[in-house]
Amino acid sequence: MNMEKYLRAVRRRLNMPKQLKDRVMTDFASSIEARKEEGQEEPEILKDLGSPKAAAKELNEQMQDYTYQKSP
């Protein structure tokens, strides 16, 4: 999976309003870009981040106060 597909897959799994999702994904992509600038290769970065599902789960947990909540 290339990085563009990976980022799209993560974004689809985020459970938050669009504006917040945009900000989170900008920050997430920036952190990946910083790792590339430090010399890490894309496959290594993707391996460290885990699956798109796992990465999105972690981001959703970090932003849990802002995610959509299921109604009872």
Side-chain angles (χ1 to χ4, degrees):
M1 177 178 293
N2 69 30
M3 192 59 71
E4 188 177 315
K5 283 184 178 182
Y6 181 86
L7 291 172
R8 281 196 311 262
V10 170
R11 181 182 176 81
R12 276 194 310 271
R13 290 171 171 82
L14 294 181
N15 183 32
M16 57 192 71
K18 183 189 178 311
Q19 233 176 355
L20 183 58
K21 191 183 285 193
D22 291 344
R23 195 174 92 210
V24 167
M25 287 308 298
T26 297
D27 291 347
F28 189 61
S30 293
S31 69
I32 291 170
E33 199 56 41
R35 291 172 77 164
K36 285 182 181 179
E37 289 173 6
E38 292 172 358
Q40 278 190 310
E41 297 292 325
E42 219 171 84
E44 181 184 359
I45 296 169
L46 291 174
K47 183 180 176 189
D48 288 347
L49 294 173
S51 70
K53 184 177 179 179
K57 181 180 178 193
E58 184 175 328
L59 291 169
N60 281 323
E61 287 173 359
Q62 290 174 5
M63 302 299 291
Q64 68 184 351
D65 292 340
Y66 304 100
T67 60
Y68 290 122
Q69 303 297 319
K70 291 184 179 181
S71 60

